[in-house]
């Protein structure tokens, strides 16, 4: 058995000492930037789920490096954030100490996985050298009015004690702690991502290397819709209520209006009225309801009248104003016009609260009557009850009524997005301070660039209540940069998603201290060629990063507009049916597997068990299998290695290179490993090995099991690292389809012999006879396979291929082949060739079954069995 642990230590030390994975810009080499989403560092042991994620990236990076690319493959840590702060409150340790310790443990374990990162580029977002550039970007965005502060109803997580961006509220719950999110009106900082809604949507088309599912999620999240803004007037006031609708054709049928309960306007409207108390109660009840289910079709519609009326701009009708659970603040203007005759939700609500229903679209082939309607009519038809638009097709009326509104100044065509601005302020300590100063005389003043970074004060008390920064006098109290009078600092910090929106740029020049990055280096390395990470970031990190890059391009800081050319979403590792996670307690740690089998075994198993994009179940037996395989590979070194070559070995070698290369390129790592395993079996079964084939095997194994590959490379007399060797190229001329087919025939025959022995219950064979098919059948097979390409008509084929004296057999063969085309061999040889091949592999078969084998042409035998032999399928007689 190989001492894997010893080998791993040896090579990890050498890699580190010689810095073999360090990269520099090199204009003569083609660059390739591979990146995994950087982790939040935790101090617990890495488990096999982590190991799988990083191994996927590492295989690809090693492969591309060996292919001759100048590969940038860095690692760093998303080091700010709540867990460290919460842990600090609990354990009374400073978040900085806690984080630094976590990073140390995390990176040590990553090194033990054998990952080929350029560790000199490591970054951590919690250091001023990094976060000062968050502040710098903030100032640039502030200058362009892309960062702004406003009072808004925002998502509040009580457990986390902070606000959340819309993207961080998943089905009404906090993305981090899964607690219900409530709505609070607060003064908050936003990044104006909506300014880029159109570009973010349009440029999704450029993301050819992204999974369709992620692109669709972004499209839906941005949520563009074309429609009409209709100005309703508040009864008894000059105030206008703008309503966005995609159905202006139903405007004459509006019988009520509905505000989202959390709309700030609502409390204003009911202030000091008899409705105030009840409305407040209703709001309190609704806003804690899960927002996703509030709008679900089957959800019970609930609401109440708030005592006010609006005026329909076309009819002058008074329309009662309601609030209801099914209207959300983030859609349109946070209020809707309701047309119960032609919208199902409005219909249900109107029925429940006895609101009139007015038909404005009639179907062409029958007539609707309000009193007979059991549900809304949502199909097309002709307008009715709509004054001058009566009789107009409703599709056309959309345009006509909009034009009419525009002419009268009552509305206009518009485009709406579901996307809302990105809320970036957090009321917590462990993040980037927002570089703003409040002065009583000058108002809001940005911190001058030369004063950056605004450093996080380090001696802080963590009580678990409120924002610790707000209680630090030395931090809060400052001078106004403009007028020098007393002023105070902003105490909110930035969402950590700001840190991760540009970290991929920092890796290009991680030690740069005059700018966030060196533009020349950015030009060489960016964009990221292959990004790897979880699909859960589809509308958070991946959207924010795209926005950031677009904003930086407009600021002329970068010269490209998309950060990630290709994106790969890996699957999750499960155990006992659940995603492997520490909180669930179903983890298999890297340490325990490494100690028992070595890390190469773990890597191999994790990549062999399924396609990298699929979820997989951990299996102890699977690990054992990988362990045995690697030992088998190593034992090949016991064989004699020669310089001799033969056609078969050459074919096998080049066919394997071709398959493995193609499969790694397509992220089908498990398929690549199957080819490598077959090749290993092939080399194991032969008498001797040649240099080309063993060197090929070591090289193509290197991305998967790099430590063992290095060891074997050294043992076969090489002085350099196999990790830096050139990836083998296959030679199409050396791939021989015929030779491949012949071997397959032999393998199939061995499998057939095994079946025969099993069926006949023969434990020890004395003799095996193999009958090679009669000569005429090869000719017949060739003809039939050609005819089958033209027609599947059995009678027609039989007529064309008939051979005198074999009529009955031909008819039978044709029928079987038409029914099961897979029965036709890929390559049809000749009786002579087939007999020769079997002779060639006679030794192998004899060894396999520990008996003597005789090969006989069917014509030379009187055995009835001999007649059953077919081309590529010898008949078998065993006793
Ligand atoms: Zn939370
Ligand atoms: Zn001032």
């Amino acid at each position: 058995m190989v001492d894997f642990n010893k080998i791993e230590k040896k090579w990890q030390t050498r890699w580190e000492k010689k810095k073999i994975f360090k990269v520099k810009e090199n204009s003569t080499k083609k660059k390739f930037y591979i990146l995994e989403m950087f982790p939040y560092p935790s101090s617990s042991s890495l488990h096999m789920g982590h190991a799988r994620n990083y191994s996927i990236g590492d295989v690809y990076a090693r492969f591309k490096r060996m292919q001759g690319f100048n590969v940038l493959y860095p690692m760093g840590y998303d080091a700010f954030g709540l867990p460290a702060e919460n842990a600090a409150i609990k354990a009374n340790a400073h978040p900085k100490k806690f984080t630094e310790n976590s990073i140390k443990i995390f990176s040590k374990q990553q090194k033990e996985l054998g990952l080929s990162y350029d560790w000199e580029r490591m970054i951590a977002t919690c250091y001023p050298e990094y976060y000062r550039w968050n502040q710098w970007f903030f100032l640039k965005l502030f200058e362009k009015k892309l960062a702004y502060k406003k009072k808004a109803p925002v998502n509040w997580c009580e457990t986390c004690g902070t606000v959340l961006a819309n993207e961080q509220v998943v089905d009404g719950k906090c993305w981090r702690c899964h607690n219900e999110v409530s709505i609070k009106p607060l003064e908050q900082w936003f990044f104006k991502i909506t300014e880029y809604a159109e570009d973010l949507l349009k440029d999704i088309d450029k993301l050819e290397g992204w999974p369709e599912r992620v692109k669709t999620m972004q499209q839906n999240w941005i949520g563009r819709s074309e429609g009409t803004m209709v100005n309703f007037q508040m009864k008894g006031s000059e105030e206008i209520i703008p309503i966005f609708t995609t159905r202006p054709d139903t405007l004459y049928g509006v019988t009520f209006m509905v505000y989202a309960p959390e709309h700030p306007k609502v409390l204003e409207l009911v202030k000091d009225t008899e409705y105030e108390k009840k409305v407040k109660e209703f709001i309190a009840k609704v806003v804690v309801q899960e927002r996703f289910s509030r709008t679900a079709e089957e959800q019970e519609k609930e609401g109440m009248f708030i005592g006010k009326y609006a005026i329909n701009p076309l009819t002058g009708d008074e329309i009662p104003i309601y609030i209801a659970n099914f209207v959300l603040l983030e859609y349109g203007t946070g209020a809707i016009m309701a047309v119960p005759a032609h919208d199902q939700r409005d219909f249900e609500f109107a029925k429940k609260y006895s609101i009139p229903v007015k038909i404005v679209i009639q179907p062409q082939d029958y007539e609707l009557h309000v009193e007979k309607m059991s549900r809304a009519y949502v199909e097309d038809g002709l307008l009715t009850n709509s004054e001058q638009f009566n009789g107009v097709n409703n599709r056309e009326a959309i345009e006509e009524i909009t034009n009419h509104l525009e002419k009268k100044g009552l509305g206009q065509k518009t485009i709406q997005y579901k996307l809302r601005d990105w809320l970036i302020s957090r009321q917590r300590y462990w993040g980037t301070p927002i570089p703003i100063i409040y002065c009583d005389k000058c108002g809001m003043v940005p911190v001058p660039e030369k004063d950056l970074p605004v450093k996080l004060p380090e001696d802080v008390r963590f009580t678990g209540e409120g924002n610790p920064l707000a209680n630090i006098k030395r931090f809060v109290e400052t001078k106004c940069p403009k007028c020098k009078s007393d002023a105070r600092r902003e105490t909110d910090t930035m969402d950590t998603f700001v840190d991760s929106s540009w970290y991929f740029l920092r890796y290009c020049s991680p030690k740069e201290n005059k700018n966030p990055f060196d533009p020349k280096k950015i030009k060489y390395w960016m964009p990221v060629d292959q990004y790897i990470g979880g699909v859960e970031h589809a509308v958070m990190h991946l959207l924010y990063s795209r926005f950031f890059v677009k904003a930086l391009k407009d600021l002329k800081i970068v010269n490209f507009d998309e950060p990630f050319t290709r994106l790969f979403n890996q699957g999750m590792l499960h155990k006992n049916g659940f995603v492997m996670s520490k909180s669930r307690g179903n983890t298999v740690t890297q340490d325990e597997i490494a100690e028992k089998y070595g890390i190469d075994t773990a890597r191999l198993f994790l990549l062999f068990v399924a396609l990298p994009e699929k979820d997989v179940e951990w299996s102890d037996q699977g690990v054992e299998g990988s362990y045995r395989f690697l030992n088998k590979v190593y034992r090949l070194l016991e064989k004699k290695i020669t310089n001799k070559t033969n056609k078969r070995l050459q074919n096998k070698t080049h066919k394997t290179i071709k398959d493995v290369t193609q499969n790694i390129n397509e992220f089908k790592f498990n398929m690549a490993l199957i080819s490598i395993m077959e090749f290993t079996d092939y080399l194991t079964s032969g008498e001797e090995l040649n240099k080309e084939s063993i060197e090929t095997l070591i090289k193509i194994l290197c991305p998967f099991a790099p430590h063992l590959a290095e060891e074997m490379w050294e043992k076969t007399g090489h002085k350099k690292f196999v990790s830096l060797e050139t990836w083998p190229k296959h030679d199409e001329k050396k791939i021989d389809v015929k030779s491949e087919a012949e071997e397959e025939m032999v393998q199939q025959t061995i499998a057939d012999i095994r079946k025969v022995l099993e069926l006949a219950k023969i434990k020890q064979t004395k003799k095996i006879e193999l009958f090679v098919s009669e000569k005429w059948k090869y000719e017949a097979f060739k003809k039939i396979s050609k005819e089958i390409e033209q027609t599947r008509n059995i009678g027609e084929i039989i007529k064309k291929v008939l051979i005198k004296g074999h009529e009955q057999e031909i008819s039978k063969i044709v029928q079987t082949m038409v029914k099961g085309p897979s029965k036709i061999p890929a390559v049809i040889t000749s009786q002579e060739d087939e007999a020769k091949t079997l002779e060639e592999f006679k030794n192998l078969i004899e060894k396999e079954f520990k008996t003597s084998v005789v090969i006989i042409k069917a014509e030379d035998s009187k055995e009835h069995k001999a007649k059953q032999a077919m081309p590529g399928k010898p008949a078998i007689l065993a006793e």
Side-chain angles (χ1 to χ4, degrees):
M1 289 287 135
V2 189
D3 186 346
F4 284 104
N5 287 309
K6 200 175 134 198
I7 292 178
E8 281 154 17
K9 284 238 167 52
K10 169 178 164 187
W11 290 103
Q12 283 168 14
T13 311
R14 287 197 193 174
W15 292 336
E16 189 153 1
K17 218 170 129 195
K18 297 274 179 192
K19 297 180 177 173
I20 69 165
F21 302 122
K22 186 178 163 175
V23 279
K24 268 203 241 156
E25 300 68 43
N26 178 344
S27 57
T28 65
K29 261 176 135 183
K30 225 176 152 197
K31 69 96 184 178
F32 203 92
Y33 188 173
I34 301 174
L35 187 63
E36 291 140 7
M37 290 181 187
F38 70 165
Y40 180 82
S42 79
S43 59
S44 51
S45 179
L46 291 195
H47 60 67
M48 285 293 112
H50 296 113
R52 183 173 186 232
N53 292 351
Y54 300 124
S55 300
I56 291 169
D58 190 51
V59 165
Y60 202 65
R62 286 176 174 275
F63 168 68
K64 283 285 167 189
R65 198 179 289 122
M66 290 175 79
Q67 278 197 321
F69 289 93
N70 194 25
V71 172
L72 174 56
Y73 182 47
M75 179 42 60
Y77 302 94
D78 197 7
F80 269 141
L82 268 181
E85 191 168 343
N86 289 340
I89 294 164
K90 247 199 208 157
N92 205 21
H94 195 282
K96 186 173 172 225
K97 280 234 174 72
F98 179 87
T99 307
E100 281 174 346
N101 186 46
S102 297
I103 290 176
K104 223 160 86 196
I105 296 171
F106 211 97
S107 59
K108 177 175 172 277
Q109 295 189 77
Q110 286 179 312
K111 285 177 187 170
E112 287 167 358
L113 258 175
L115 306 173
S116 60
Y117 299 128
D118 175 358
W119 282 105
E120 289 189 13
R121 291 177 186 259
M122 186 179 109
I123 57 172
T125 55
C126 64
Y127 293 115
E129 303 88 87
Y130 186 87
Y131 70 67
R132 70 175 291 184
W133 303 113
N134 286 343
Q135 296 171 339
W136 187 84
F137 288 130
F138 180 96
L139 294 179
K140 298 284 165 200
L141 295 175
F142 183 77
E143 211 174 288
K144 292 276 174 198
K145 299 201 166 42
L146 289 169
Y148 68 92
K149 195 179 191 188
K150 78 165 184 204
K151 188 168 181 170
V154 295
N155 308 300
W156 176 265
C157 176
E158 196 58 51
T159 323
C160 295
T162 187
V163 300
L164 299 169
N166 285 349
E167 290 80 1
Q168 293 159 0
V169 181
V170 181
D171 297 347
K173 297 191 173 77
C174 171
W175 72 286
R176 189 194 298 282
C177 72
H178 310 296
N179 262 43
E180 292 280 353
V181 169
S182 59
I183 305 292
K184 258 192 180 180
L186 283 173
E187 282 255 318
Q188 296 294 322
W189 284 98
F190 292 86
F191 279 165
K192 206 171 180 186
I193 190 171
T194 52
E195 183 91 1
Y196 289 86
E198 189 69 53
D199 285 347
L200 286 168
L201 186 69
K202 196 179 74 220
D203 289 353
I204 288 177
D205 291 344
K206 292 186 190 168
L207 306 176
E208 281 172 25
W210 282 41
E212 282 307 315
R213 144 172 97 142
V214 175
K215 293 198 272 186
T216 308
M217 282 166 84
Q218 290 209 353
Q219 257 156 10
N220 292 341
W221 186 261
I222 296 166
R224 181 185 196 274
S225 55
E226 286 181 17
T228 306
M229 196 68 84
V230 185
N231 301 330
F232 285 74
Q233 196 178 332
M234 189 72 78
K235 188 194 165 195
S237 106
E238 291 296 298
E239 193 171 346
I240 295 295
I241 311 169
I243 299 282
F244 175 78
T245 178
T246 55
R247 296 294 307 274
D249 52 324
T250 63
L251 193 47
Y252 286 90
V254 176
T255 57
F256 62 106
M257 179 181 284
V258 190
Y259 267 108
E262 55 270 61
H263 199 299
K265 195 83 205 157
V266 173
L267 286 179
E268 215 178 280
L269 289 173
V270 296
K271 200 167 183 331
D272 300 327
T273 71
E274 55 182 299
Y275 296 92
E276 186 171 7
K277 190 164 163 274
K278 280 226 165 100
V279 165
K280 279 187 170 164
E281 284 168 10
F282 181 80
I283 294 173
K285 191 177 127 197
V286 170
V287 293
V288 296
Q289 278 179 9
E290 206 205 349
R291 287 202 288 171
F292 178 72
S293 70
R294 257 172 68 183
T295 58
E297 239 173 78
E298 63 282 0
Q299 172 75 31
E300 175 75 23
K301 274 78 194 159
E302 282 183 278
M304 63 175 292
F305 178 53
I306 62 166
K308 299 280 176 193
Y309 293 87
I311 308 289
N312 186 322
L314 293 186
T315 61
D317 290 346
E318 287 183 8
I319 300 158
I321 301 178
Y322 284 74
I323 50 177
N325 58 347
F326 67 87
V327 178
L328 294 182
L329 185 61
E330 49 263 53
Y331 296 140
T333 57
I336 62 153
M337 59 177 226
V339 187
H342 306 293
D343 179 281
Q344 186 58 23
R345 278 192 316 204
D346 298 352
F347 184 82
E348 285 169 32
F349 192 83
K351 283 285 159 198
K352 183 166 176 179
Y353 294 97
S354 307
I355 304 168
V357 175
K358 185 180 169 193
I359 294 166
V360 289
I361 298 172
Q362 281 289 2
Q364 307 226 29
D365 41 3
Y366 65 96
E367 199 178 335
L368 294 171
H369 296 281
V370 170
E371 60 279 6
K372 285 187 196 155
M373 284 175 88
S374 60
R375 54 180 300 116
Y377 177 73
V378 296
E379 310 296 318
D380 291 334
L382 302 178
L383 260 57
T384 180
N385 291 324
S386 300
E387 296 173 6
Q388 74 257 46
F389 302 102
N390 282 345
V392 177
N393 177 296
N394 73 298
R395 297 267 167 168
E396 288 158 24
I398 292 178
E399 185 85 27
E400 287 185 26
I401 292 182
T402 304
N403 289 341
H404 181 67
L405 289 168
E406 278 186 358
K407 243 185 268 158
K408 297 192 117 187
L410 297 170
Q412 69 280 332
K413 216 181 189 157
T414 184
I415 293 164
Q416 283 272 318
Y417 296 94
K418 272 202 317 211
L419 184 70
R420 288 290 173 268
D421 280 341
W422 173 15
L423 197 172
I424 59 126
S425 42
R426 296 291 179 273
Q427 292 70 48
R428 300 297 299 239
Y429 164 78
W430 194 230
T432 306
I434 292 175
I436 288 289
I437 290 168
Y438 300 99
C439 167
D440 287 338
K441 288 179 206 153
C442 316
M444 211 153 57
V445 184
V447 173
E449 237 177 77
K450 66 173 176 44
D451 294 344
L452 296 185
V454 177
K455 279 194 188 175
L456 263 183
E458 290 199 9
D459 45 338
V460 186
R461 276 186 56 228
F462 296 96
T463 58
E465 297 214 349
N467 178 355
L469 267 188
N471 301 320
I472 305 172
K473 260 188 163 181
R474 274 172 303 103
F475 179 78
V476 178
E477 291 173 4
T478 185
K479 298 285 179 208
C480 169
K482 268 191 190 160
C483 73
K484 309 293 173 210
S485 51
D486 288 347
R488 56 198 169 76
R489 278 189 198 285
E490 172 64 80
T491 58
D492 279 358
T493 53
M494 293 182 205
D495 182 0
T496 55
F497 280 98
V498 176
D499 312 357
S500 54
S501 289
W502 69 280
Y503 77 107
F504 43 88
L505 301 172
R506 184 71 183 168
Y507 281 135
C508 299
S509 51
K511 298 193 172 75
E512 170 70 43
N513 57 14
K514 297 211 165 47
N515 290 292
F517 40 75
D518 179 340
K520 281 204 297 286
K521 294 186 175 169
I522 288 288
K523 213 172 160 198
Y524 179 75
W525 290 114
M526 284 299 293
V528 174
D529 296 282
Q530 181 65 59
Y531 201 26
I532 300 169
V535 72
E536 67 275 15
H537 289 287
V539 293
M540 289 198 266
H541 163 60
L542 289 170
L543 193 63
Y544 296 148
S545 301
R546 293 185 60 219
F547 154 68
F548 230 77
V549 160
K550 288 184 187 306
L552 295 191
K553 190 183 181 215
D554 284 351
L555 290 162
K556 306 215 168 11
I557 298 174
V558 300
N559 65 346
F560 49 90
D561 56 9
E562 285 294 339
F564 315 120
T565 307
R566 282 159 54 95
L567 172 69
F568 182 82
N569 293 138
Q570 80 276 18
M572 304 270 232
L573 185 64
H574 292 232
K575 195 185 175 217
N576 308 329
F578 294 101
V579 172
M580 198 177 270
S581 78
K582 199 187 158 211
S583 58
R584 201 175 270 280
N586 63 345
T587 56
V588 176
T589 66
Q590 178 179 317
D591 293 342
E592 61 186 283
I593 293 300
E595 199 187 322
K596 204 163 164 198
Y597 303 104
I599 209 64
D600 277 345
T601 298
R603 288 172 59 120
L604 194 85
F605 165 72
L606 291 165
L607 298 170
F608 173 65
V609 69
L611 282 174
E613 74 235 41
K614 294 274 186 266
D615 288 351
V616 297
E617 175 75 21
W618 175 261
S619 137
D620 290 331
Q621 292 94 312
V623 178
E624 293 274 355
S626 298
Y627 183 67
R628 280 196 301 273
F629 167 70
L630 287 182
N631 276 292
K632 191 199 248 179
V633 173
Y634 194 73
R635 278 199 305 272
L636 281 175
L637 294 186
E638 293 163 9
K639 282 180 185 273
K640 193 175 158 206
I641 298 168
T642 68
N643 279 319
K644 283 188 256 172
T645 190
N646 67 58
K647 228 168 115 186
R648 292 206 188 282
L649 192 52
Q650 205 171 55
N651 167 62
K652 201 77 195 165
T653 306
H654 286 262
K655 181 77 178 21
T656 304
I657 296 171
K658 186 182 179 183
D659 287 350
V660 171
T661 308
Q662 189 181 340
N663 282 320
I664 297 182
N665 247 327
E666 293 169 4
F667 274 78
K668 293 178 184 159
F669 296 169
N670 57 332
M671 304 304 283
L673 281 169
I674 288 172
S675 298
I676 294 176
M677 287 174 181
E678 280 174 5
F679 187 44
T680 305
D681 283 343
Y682 187 86
L683 297 181
T684 304
S685 66
E687 294 291 319
E688 44 190 38
L689 265 181
N690 77 359
K691 204 161 171 290
E692 185 193 24
S693 54
I694 186 74
E695 288 187 355
T696 297
L697 177 65
I698 297 171
K699 284 179 182 176
I700 59 179
L701 186 67
C702 181
F704 301 94
H707 309 91
L708 186 73
E710 291 285 10
E711 184 70 13
M712 289 177 74
W713 194 245
E714 190 184 51
K715 285 247 157 39
T716 49
H718 298 90
K719 297 265 178 302
K720 292 181 180 160
F721 293 96
V722 68
S723 298
L724 300 181
E725 277 298 320
T726 309
W727 188 258
K729 272 204 177 81
H730 81 274
D731 182 346
E732 198 67 47
K733 285 195 294 268
K734 290 182 179 165
I735 296 177
D736 179 10
V737 190
K738 197 174 152 224
S739 153
E740 191 77 9
E742 285 169 355
E743 274 166 43
E744 222 159 82
M745 185 268 291
V746 172
Q747 288 306 326
Q748 190 53 50
T749 305
I750 291 175
D752 289 347
I753 296 173
R754 202 166 283 134
K755 249 185 259 163
V756 168
L757 295 180
E758 234 169 72
L759 280 175
K761 300 208 166 81
I762 300 171
K763 287 224 171 84
Q764 186 54 55
T765 44
K766 293 191 200 93
K767 189 173 123 195
I768 295 172
E769 286 177 315
L770 295 176
F771 302 103
V772 183
S773 167
E774 290 156 280
K775 210 170 188 125
W776 67 267
K777 286 185 186 168
Y778 293 86
E779 284 318 302
F781 261 52
K782 276 179 196 163
K783 280 190 192 158
I784 296 169
S785 71
K786 220 182 238 160
E787 292 305 324
I788 279 185
E789 282 168 27
Q790 310 297 322
T791 174
R792 312 202 45 88
N793 184 319
I794 294 173
E796 213 172 290
I797 300 173
I798 292 174
K799 242 193 273 161
K800 284 202 173 146
V801 302
L802 221 49
I803 297 173
K804 263 210 157 142
H806 300 294
E807 290 84 355
Q808 250 190 333
E809 283 164 290
I810 291 262
S811 143
K812 239 170 134 182
I813 292 171
V814 171
Q815 287 186 41
T816 354
M817 279 165 89
V818 169
K819 278 179 203 145
S822 63
K823 299 224 166 67
I824 310 167
V827 178
I828 302 163
T829 56
S830 66
Q831 189 190 42
E832 284 306 312
D833 280 356
E834 192 170 325
K836 233 170 83 192
T837 307
L838 286 171
E839 283 294 344
E840 191 186 326
F841 285 91
K842 203 172 98 170
N843 268 340
L844 180 87
I845 305 172
E846 288 183 332
K847 239 169 92 188
E848 182 80 28
F849 295 100
K850 301 189 178 68
T851 188
S852 64
V853 173
V854 187
I855 291 147
I856 310 156
K857 288 180 184 162
E859 290 94 334
D860 301 342
S861 171
K862 288 198 174 65
E863 288 285 351
H864 177 67
K865 193 94 197 169
K867 293 258 176 221
Q868 291 173 8
M870 290 290 163
K873 203 165 177 59
I876 300 157
L877 200 65
E879 53 187 62

